[in-house]
Amino acid sequence: MIHVSMIVNGKAASADVDSRTLLVQFLRENLRLTGTHVGCDTSQCGACVVHVDGRAIKSCTALAVSLEGAEVTTIEGLAKGGKLHPMQQAFQDNHGLQCGFCTPGMIMSAIDMVNRKGSHLDEHTIREELDGNICRCTGYHNIVKSVAQGAREMATAGAAKAAE
Amino acid sequence: MYAFTYHQPNDVAAAVALLDEDAKLLAGGQTLLPTMKQRLASPASIVDLGKIGELSGISREGETIVIGAMTRHADVAANAAVHQAIPALAALAGGIGDPHVRNRGTIGGSLANNDPAADYPAAVLALGATIVTNKRELAAEAFFHGLFETALGEGEIIVKVRFPIPQKAAYQKFRNPASRFALVGVFVTQTKGGARVAVTGAGASGVFRVNALEAALGASFAAAALKDATVPAEGLNTDMHADAAYRAHLIVVLARRAVAAAG
Ligand SMILES: Cc1cc2nc3c(=O)[nH]c(=O)nc-3n(C[C@H](O)[C@H](O)[C@H](O)COP(=O)(O)OP(=O)(O)OC[C@H]3O[C@@H](n4cnc5c(N)ncnc54)[C@H](O)[C@@H]3O)c2cc1C
Ligand code: FES
Ligand code: FES
């Protein structure tokens, strides 16, 4: 067993894990953060996307032991004080989900997209950037609408925060 | 995934010391970990290169761009020096897989793996890059040895790759929409020494150069020079996605588009 420590959603978290433990297993099984999903075993679906040191990665395709000391944000870390993150709210407003299985990964990818590409995202960019996230239900149309709205509102929320 | 012993050395010498025939290097893990999850690989030990700082980074040294083996695809895609000197290479890196794969996957891992449909091998071959290991320097031609095979020997680690800056270059990829790998990808370059055309995704034994197209472009580096060009289908892949004749056709189409894009 190897001792591994990370900062997960702002809190220190550690466990003794087998070296083959994937980041997603550490999150789901050790920390009981089951919002991060596993939808495939080929690293293709994106249901498991989380942020590690500010970058979106597939948590099913990283060893927990490789990420000693990392800062991790999962879907559980987004809502603040009982208020949904603007990107979560946008998925609710636009009916951007049906079964919801892909949604945590979609939202983590969407926020990463805004962090890299800014808050004015055209439809083409959103579709291209969601390449690594597969949804079996929605047909993507409302997901794309959700991401566009969430991106705009992240800018507004950011501006409001900066003005405080 | 089967159990293994895990090591995370801090420098290349320590990593080399840990390598034996049952050990595997771990870079971005975007090929190795899926393979291990499916139990297609079961190394007894894993030597993780992730904490070796000297393996990451991009710099311009005179007329070459030098990229450390552990540099992630996303960092090559976003790097200002690469954009300025070899924009085609930045574009290629930005078209690998999806954003999450690009945030983990590395150039060293991609080259060591030598997947016949991977993107970087086409750039390395067309640009005439040099692969620097802990033991020696290898020209692109000497590095790739067919499907998933390279010149890398036991205890050998890719440290960095040196790309000479060309006069012109462009990459065109016809993506397999499901896997995101190249159904066919063509990288063209123009240098003082002439034109080069490297093809990935199509060859039954991996990446290769097309002499006939290079000769035509050597005479005139323009899409029109390839107007009547053809490439034989012999030696090209046939699979559920495309047959050899279709791939042969795509090579010429993509080569023309690449030359046009190179400007
Ligand atoms: C969904 C998905 C889509 C993808 N799409 C594409 C695509 O469109 N185009 C493309 O080209 N690739 C694609 N890939 C593959 C991706 O680019 C991988 O990142 C790459 O092939 C391997 O790099 P890695 O750093 O992840 O290596 P790893 O998986 O860690 O290692 C791969 C192999 O290389 C060896 N190795 C690693 N580093 C070194 C080194 N420095 N010296 C010697 N040996 C080393 C390892 O031991 C292992 O055998 C895709 C992968 C996924 C999961
Ligand atoms: S679970 Fe499908 S990509 Fe991670
Ligand atoms: S909402 Fe069901 S998979 Fe996307």
Side-chain angles (χ1 to χ4, degrees), chain B residues 29-53:
Chain B
Q30 302 303 290
T31 296
L32 184 57
L33 293 176
T35 315
M36 288 170 65
K37 285 203 282 185
Q38 293 179 39
R39 297 190 166 179
L40 297 171
S42 51
S45 71
I46 284 286
V47 179
D48 187 341
L49 300 175
K51 292 269 149 89
I52 307 183

Side-chain angles (χ1 to χ4, degrees), chain A residues 40-95:
Chain A
C40 71
D41 57 10
T42 51
S43 305
Q44 283 176 306
C45 76
C48 62
V49 170
V50 301
H51 296 184
V52 172
D53 294 331
R55 288 176 165 220
I57 73 160
K58 290 172 174 168
S59 62
C60 72
T61 315
L63 297 176
V65 291
S66 294
L67 300 172
E68 170 65 31
E71 282 193 35
V72 180
T73 307
T74 70
I75 190 76
E76 289 92 344
L78 295 182
K80 292 275 161 354
K83 193 167 177 287
L84 292 181
H85 183 283
M87 191 61 78
Q88 292 175 304
Q89 189 60 52
F91 272 71
Q92 188 178 72
D93 293 349
N94 292 285
H95 193 55

Side-chain angles (χ1 to χ4, degrees), chain A residues 96-103 106 134-138 143:
Chain A
L97 58 143
Q98 287 180 21
C99 79
F101 195 84
C102 68
T103 315
M106 288 285 177
I134 293 172
C135 175
R136 290 185 296 182
C137 306
T138 63
I143 292 177

Side-chain angles (χ1 to χ4, degrees), chain A residues 2 19-20 22 41-44 49 55-58 60-63 65-66 68 109 116 129 131-133, chain B residues 1-4 6 8 26 29-30 33-34 37-38 48 51 75 97-101 103-104 175 178 180:
Chain A
I2 301 178
S19 53
R20 62 187 144 167
L22 300 167
D41 57 10
T42 51
S43 305
Q44 283 176 306
V49 170
R55 288 176 165 220
I57 73 160
K58 290 172 174 168
C60 72
T61 315
L63 297 176
V65 291
S66 294
E68 170 65 31
S109 296
R116 284 182 295 113
E129 289 285 323
D131 228 2
N133 293 83
Chain B
M1 194 184 293
Y2 291 108
F4 52 82
Y6 178 78
Q8 198 177 46
L26 175 68
Q30 302 303 290
L33 293 176
K37 285 203 282 185
Q38 293 179 39
D48 187 341
K51 292 269 149 89
D75 293 328
D98 56 52
H100 325 306
V101 167
N103 275 338
R104 293 297 291 170
R175 272 174 124 212
R180 294 142 213 172

